[in-house]
Amino acid sequence: MFEEAKIAFFKNSDMGGTLTPNDILRFLQNGNDLLARYFSLKFGKIEKGYVADIVIYDYHSPTPMVNDNLAGHFIYGFSSRDVETVIVGGNVVYENRAFPFDVKAYTKKAQQAAQRLWKKMDSMG
């Protein structure tokens, strides 16, 4: 979601919009509210009773990071390259910047699926 959030922010700026980095983070937080509404579960906190996936970042901040500028760091600084570990549903799915499974097998399947998709799309035109 890093790149999508950045694109939303900068596209809005290009169009003369007034969204701030804080607005973008608020939109992302609203995703938790939508999930809660449609899945009848609690999201958005690391707390007992909440569904929580955790991402641990290795972000080396070029400037001090405090609550007041966290959104700015999210838009201008954070990126997927900073992701160190990901835990989903209590299972570590990415650790020390590596997947605990053979990525090549999935990549091969994805490439085959992409070729089928592009062939199908080409036949539609």
Side-chain angles (χ1 to χ4, degrees):
M1 293 302 297
F2 289 114
E3 297 309 316
E4 290 82 355
K6 289 176 185 189
I7 289 168
F9 175 74
F10 289 116
K11 184 64 178 170
N12 178 265
S13 294
D14 285 347
M15 300 299 293
T18 60
L19 293 178
T20 67
N22 285 324
D23 294 325
I24 300 298
L25 282 189
R26 192 178 72 251
F27 296 158
L28 291 173
Q29 177 61 36
N30 287 344
N32 290 319
D33 299 335
L34 290 170
L35 287 168
R37 183 180 313 148
Y38 292 106
F39 292 99
S40 300
L41 298 167
K42 294 193 272 183
F43 297 85
K45 293 182 183 178
I46 300 174
E47 194 173 290
K48 187 175 181 172
Y50 281 76
V51 175
D53 297 336
I54 301 170
V55 179
I56 300 170
Y57 302 94
D58 183 18
Y59 173 64
H60 299 279
S61 176
T63 62
M65 185 168 43
V66 296
N67 192 48
D68 289 343
N69 69 9
L70 177 63
H73 280 274
F74 186 83
I75 295 296
Y76 297 106
F78 284 24
S79 82
S80 58
R81 75 179 171 273
D82 300 314
V83 175
E84 197 274 338
T85 298
V86 179
I87 303 168
V88 177
N91 300 307
V92 177
V93 298
Y94 187 75
E95 186 172 26
N96 297 320
R97 293 189 164 86
F99 292 101
F101 51 82
D102 181 14
V103 175
K104 291 178 187 173
Y106 289 98
T107 300
K108 185 175 181 177
K109 284 184 178 184
Q111 290 171 343
Q112 292 168 344
Q115 287 174 344
R116 288 191 306 272
L117 174 64
W118 282 110
K119 189 173 184 175
K120 187 172 184 176
M121 290 175 65
D122 286 343
S123 70
M124 296 170 73

